[in-house]
Amino acid sequence: YFSRLDNLVGVPVINVHIWFDRKLTDVDHLLFSRSPLLSVYADMSNTCREYEDDDRSMLELVLAPAKDYIGRPDEEIVEATLKELEKLFPQHIGPNATEPANVRKSIVVQTPRSVYTTTKQLQPSRPTQKSPVPNFFLAGDYTMQMYLASMEGATLSGKLAAKAIAEEVDARGTQAFKGGFVGSSSGATEIMTATVPAASSSAAAAASGR
């Protein structure tokens, strides 16, 4: 069970956040890029209320796979990102821009081992939420569920883990459940323990969506 986790190899991913002094786009959703460097991006001034701005864009971009850039200075990464953005927004970025946009500030977040590499025959290596260790459960985008490594997958795995715990409690009747739970998404891991009396199984089931 646990040895199969060795097959799930994390890849380096870089998130780049760039604030501009003018609006680049009005598109209000996540976009896939044609760039070989940029995987996906979104204008957060349109998609996120926290960054809402009618006059200036804030782009959040994902560089993946980022093995050629991980560990490099932030300035180099931002420069390479802007070079790619010249192709996506030539009217605003680059030497031929007719309405040039200037960078107000930028933030680079480098994650050396992020989501696992999705390759053929890898699905059987993903563990179920209930482990062979008594009272020990797993949750995270790497565990077995219908999505690949993603926030959606991490959320679904949490619901499946809650369902597995509720079923364990129901199976024990009046015996209290006391065990551990490991949650992980995109490289971040938390280990928690919990004591759940049998009377609380209905609440746990509700949390799992049952």
Side-chain angles (χ1 to χ4, degrees):
Y1 178 87
F2 292 106
S3 63
R4 296 200 302 269
L5 292 173
D6 292 336
N7 298 323
L8 303 179
V9 180
V11 297
V13 171
I14 298 175
N15 291 87
V16 182
H17 311 257
I18 305 178
W19 285 258
F20 292 93
D21 63 356
R22 71 179 305 136
K23 203 73 169 175
L24 303 184
T25 176
D26 293 320
V27 176
D28 184 13
H29 55 73
L30 183 71
L31 295 166
F32 288 91
S33 171
R34 294 170 293 175
S35 163
L37 177 62
L38 306 177
S39 174
V40 294
Y41 68 95
D43 189 333
M44 302 295 281
S45 69
N46 302 324
T47 62
C48 184
R49 183 172 299 176
E50 181 180 355
Y51 299 103
E52 186 175 1
D53 193 325
D54 294 331
D55 302 314
R56 300 178 297 186
S57 286
M58 184 283 209
L59 296 188
E60 181 172 342
L61 312 104
V62 178
L63 278 61
K67 62 182 179 63
D68 294 333
Y69 286 89
I70 201 76
R72 290 195 186 184
D74 292 351
E75 295 77 11
E76 287 187 22
I77 295 173
V78 171
E79 182 180 355
T81 302
L82 290 173
K83 201 68 180 175
E84 292 299 314
L85 288 177
E86 289 182 16
K87 305 172 185 177
L88 300 176
F89 304 101
Q91 73 276 27
H92 296 307
I93 301 174
N96 300 319
T98 56
E99 300 175 347
N102 299 306
V103 175
R104 295 164 53 214
K105 68 174 181 177
S106 62
I107 295 177
V108 176
V109 180
Q110 302 192 38
T111 307
R113 294 189 65 179
S114 182
V115 296
Y116 65 86
T117 305
T118 305
T119 57
K120 291 182 178 180
Q121 310 303 322
L122 196 64
Q123 189 73 351
S125 296
R126 302 174 74 181
T128 56
Q129 285 71 37
K130 183 177 180 180
S131 79
V133 178
N135 301 342
F136 191 74
F137 298 81
L138 303 178
D141 58 5
Y142 66 94
T143 60
M144 185 65 76
Q145 34 80 23
M146 64 184 292
Y147 299 118
L148 299 176
S150 61
M151 291 185 291
E152 294 80 6
T155 301
L156 178 57
S157 75
K159 292 183 177 181
L160 293 174
K163 180 181 179 181
I165 293 172
E167 290 174 347
E168 184 76 10
V169 172
D170 288 340
R172 296 187 185 187
T174 58
Q175 184 179 359
F177 165 80
K178 185 175 183 180
F181 175 86
V182 176
S184 173
S185 175
S186 301
T189 302
E190 295 181 358
I191 300 178
M192 295 156 279
T193 59
T195 300
V196 184
S200 301
S201 63
S202 59
S208 70
R210 289 202 326 185

